[in-house]
Amino acid sequence: MAPHALEHGYPTPLPTPPNERAGGSHELPYAVLASTRAVIDGRVTPATIVMSTATGKIIEVYESVVPASEFPRAAYMDHSPHILLPGLVDAHVHLNEPGRTEWEGFETGTRAAAFGGVTTVIDMPLNAIPPTTTVANFDEKIKAAQGKCWVDVGFYGGIIPGNASELKALVRKGVRGFKGFLIDSGVEEFPAVRTEDVTKAMRELADEPTTLMFHAEAIPPISTSVGDDVQWSLPPLSPTGPLTSYQTFLDSRPSSFEEYAIAEILSCAHIAPSLPLHIVHLSAVEAIPLLRDARARGINITAETCPHYLSLAAEAIKEGDTRHKCCPPIRNQTNQDGLWREMLRPDDSVIKTVVSDHSPCTPNLKLLPAHVPGAIAPAPAAEGDFFAAWGGISSVGLGLPILWTDRARRGFTIAHVVRWCCEATAAQVGLAHRKGRLAPGWDADVAVFDDEARWRVQPSTMLFRNKCSPYEGRTLTGVVRETWLAGRRVYARDGGFDGKVGPTGRLLLEPRTV
């Protein structure tokens, strides 16, 4: 029997909280969630989870459904047969506040996360103005986030040319890792880094408790494509065909861009051999052998991928449907199949995590043709232009059902999803000691998942600020019935968001440790 399994048929009596002894608050001091199915330490088992509403921590986990009568001072809910999951940790989200809050903000982005059982998001350092590249800029970000978050929020810092001297101070300030671009990021306040900038950042961070991450695209020295430059150019500099054709866009960012960028990063890895390296939103299967070989040689490098690379395919993208534009691009079905094969390897996969890379914008920047859902009227002059449209997929809060919809075809289990989206993402950002597990002492963050319900993605179920996503109109399998944060229910499918609880998400600013 597990260490915290039910002993002798009865749970350990719960302690009386201090405020109750003193005749204080009448709020029930404990919440108890039970189900015939829960994911506990990689296994699906019956479970009863006892949570403190005062500390926000899990007190005990019993591997059986303990009856309500055993918890007289607790709010008790039996969710059988739905699955109790650890709250998801989405380690790649662009919340864009301050500066571009009309694209997304802390309140709307975290509400959308809670809708999908995500209880922790890690905010990317760019697309906000100012970006999180200095301590002063980080202070502005923290101020903007206060009192607005429905889930817990952590933050990444950025590496750009000239900010190496700020990096250690940002670690002390509480950033969970750093991200840099090896190609134009699309926003002028977050320029790409060159090899000398990567070298400086590695030297600064060599002995720090952090992770150095890269948007791994770079234009090889010899290329028939003009790559990202085409975003700022007019025809005839564009590559092979019409700008409204997705294939034209795909041709402009071939897999060789990812291979070349990863090779550049690996060439610098010896500078800081103990520093974890990470490739964000890996899309190209051709890059996987490079990463596997590096790991075999002892280089500490991992990769993540995203639901859109695992569920969408280039062949199905229609003319001008710029909702699908992202960088790196969505590749073909064969490539998608290869990503899944890597993730489901019985041995050590290089793809450790699945994250949303929620990168929204206002609808006008997507340049959608009038017939595409999410388009604005009147249609923009460059409608359907994949090179002029903003690149990014909106999907925060949709990742769990997007993945689960493919579970029969791909042959994975809910335990795989917990590993990719809870345990490994928490570890990636230094939160494995409190996030990603249903275990005593961990944060009482829980998603109640109905794995059989089918539902249609509509604007009313896309809670991010701008209702523009390639998933609109799709029927997905699996829906989150409730989301619990720190022992309190913040969202219920049948009742919405708890106004009495409000946006009580915490900012995760405790400095990361080894």
Side-chain angles (χ1 to χ4, degrees):
M1 187 170 282
H4 11 279
L6 185 63
E7 295 182 4
H8 310 301
Y10 297 96
T12 304
L14 295 174
T16 302
N19 66 342
E20 197 173 273
R21 295 189 210 113
S25 169
H26 295 293
E27 179 186 34
L28 289 171
Y30 305 104
V32 178
L33 302 181
S35 178
T36 51
R37 294 188 296 165
V39 180
I40 309 295
D41 293 334
R43 296 173 292 108
V44 178
T45 176
T48 303
I49 300 165
V50 185
M51 308 179 293
S52 168
T53 58
T55 66
K57 297 291 186 178
I58 295 173
I59 298 173
E60 194 58 278
V61 175
Y62 302 102
E63 292 187 9
S64 64
V65 176
V66 182
S69 58
E70 299 296 332
F71 304 100
R73 296 195 315 279
Y76 180 98
M77 285 139 282
D78 186 343
H79 288 286
S80 304
H82 303 327
I83 310 174
L84 303 181
L85 307 177
L88 278 65
V89 179
D90 190 341
H92 192 141
V93 178
H94 294 266
L95 291 174
N96 301 344
E97 188 173 1
R100 290 192 176 97
T101 310
E102 70 276 12
W103 292 18
E104 189 65 273
F106 287 105
E107 184 170 5
T108 52
T110 58
R111 279 171 66 94
F115 170 89
V118 176
T119 53
T120 304
V121 301
I122 311 298
D123 178 59
M124 277 290 159
L126 72 157
N127 297 348
I129 301 175
T132 312
T133 50
T134 67
V135 169
N137 290 0
F138 191 21
D139 285 336
E140 289 193 48
K141 170 78 75 171
I142 294 168
K143 183 178 178 181
Q146 298 287 347
K148 297 178 182 177
C149 301
W150 286 89
V151 303
D152 289 353
V153 178
F155 302 89
Y156 289 123
I159 60 168
I160 60 172
N163 82 325
S165 62
E166 295 274 350
L167 302 183
K168 288 184 178 179
L170 284 167
V171 173
R172 308 289 184 271
K173 190 79 175 177
V175 301
R176 313 307 308 174
F178 293 89
K179 178 185 181 181
F181 275 71
L182 273 68
I183 200 168
D184 187 355
S185 73
V187 292
E188 62 183 0
E189 65 275 3
F190 203 93
V193 290
R194 297 184 178 182
T195 302
E196 54 265 35
D197 304 307
V198 174
T199 299
K200 290 177 183 177
M202 286 185 170
R203 286 175 177 154
E204 284 292 308
L205 297 173
D207 299 314
E208 296 295 323
T210 193
T211 299
L212 186 54
M213 311 182 303
F214 295 95
H215 179 126
E217 287 184 286
I219 303 173
I222 299 173
S223 175
T224 58
S225 170
V226 294
D228 207 55
D229 294 341
V230 81
Q231 292 189 25
W232 315 110
S233 305
L234 296 173
L237 292 178
S238 57
T240 57
L243 302 184
T244 56
S245 166
Y246 185 75
Q247 188 61 49
T248 305
F249 174 65
L250 183 58
D251 289 344
S252 79
R253 300 185 86 107
S255 57
S256 60
F257 280 26
E258 290 185 72
E259 294 177 84
Y260 180 67
I262 290 171
E264 279 287 295
I265 295 160
L266 293 175
S267 73
C268 301
H270 66 280
I271 296 168
S274 298
L275 178 64
L277 305 176
H278 184 72
I279 304 303
V280 301
H281 49 53
L282 181 74
S283 79
V285 293
E286 291 88 347
I288 289 172
L290 281 173
L291 295 169
R292 294 193 67 80
D293 176 69
R295 288 177 60 80
R297 290 185 286 113
I299 296 175
N300 187 3
I301 190 166
T302 55
E304 68 190 34
T305 194
C306 307
H308 42 276
Y309 300 127
L310 299 171
S311 64
L312 305 175
E315 297 94 325
I317 299 175
K318 296 181 179 178
E319 185 85 5
D321 192 349
T322 53
R323 294 176 302 169
H324 294 80
K325 181 185 176 179
C326 59
C327 301
I330 295 162
R331 303 193 187 277
N332 62 27
Q333 185 63 58
T334 300
N335 187 89
Q336 181 191 117
D337 295 341
L339 293 175
W340 276 110
R341 279 195 301 274
E342 176 64 23
M343 288 172 57
L344 292 169
R345 287 181 71 106
D347 58 352
D348 183 35
S349 171
V350 302
I351 301 174
K352 300 297 183 185
T353 56
V354 179
V355 297
S356 70
D357 188 14
H358 175 66
S359 185
C361 65
T362 51
N364 61 302
L365 296 178
K366 273 295 187 183
L367 306 179
L368 289 171
H371 67 277
V372 175
I376 60 172
E383 65 176 74
D385 184 336
F386 278 100
F387 295 92
W390 175 258
I393 303 290
S394 292
S395 67
V396 68
L398 302 179
L400 176 56
I402 291 169
L403 289 178
W404 193 243
T405 300
D406 267 353
R407 89 275 183 208
R409 184 162 66 102
R410 297 298 182 181
F412 59 88
T413 68
I414 195 64
H416 284 96
V417 176
V418 168
R419 188 173 75 223
W420 297 325
C421 302
C422 305
E423 295 171 357
T425 44
Q428 179 184 315
V429 295
L431 292 171
H433 62 292
R434 60 181 291 191
K435 302 286 187 183
R437 291 181 64 201
L438 297 178
W442 267 251
D443 288 359
D445 301 344
V446 185
V448 180
F449 184 53
D450 180 346
D451 60 323
E452 295 186 355
R454 288 170 58 82
W455 58 288
R456 189 176 177 86
V457 180
Q458 299 173 322
S460 62
T461 54
M462 297 187 291
L463 301 194
F464 33 85
R465 184 180 295 276
N466 294 291
K467 318 303 182 187
C468 181
S469 172
Y471 294 103
E472 182 173 351
R474 287 179 173 249
T475 298
L476 302 179
T477 300
V479 69
V480 171
R481 293 293 176 191
E482 293 185 1
T483 300
W484 290 70
L485 180 74
R488 288 178 167 85
R489 184 172 56 196
V490 293
Y491 168 76
R493 180 76 172 186
D494 296 331
F497 288 85
D498 190 335
K500 293 180 181 179
V501 173
T504 56
R506 298 157 293 189
L507 305 186
L508 304 174
L509 299 174
E510 179 182 348
R512 184 170 172 173
T513 57
V514 175

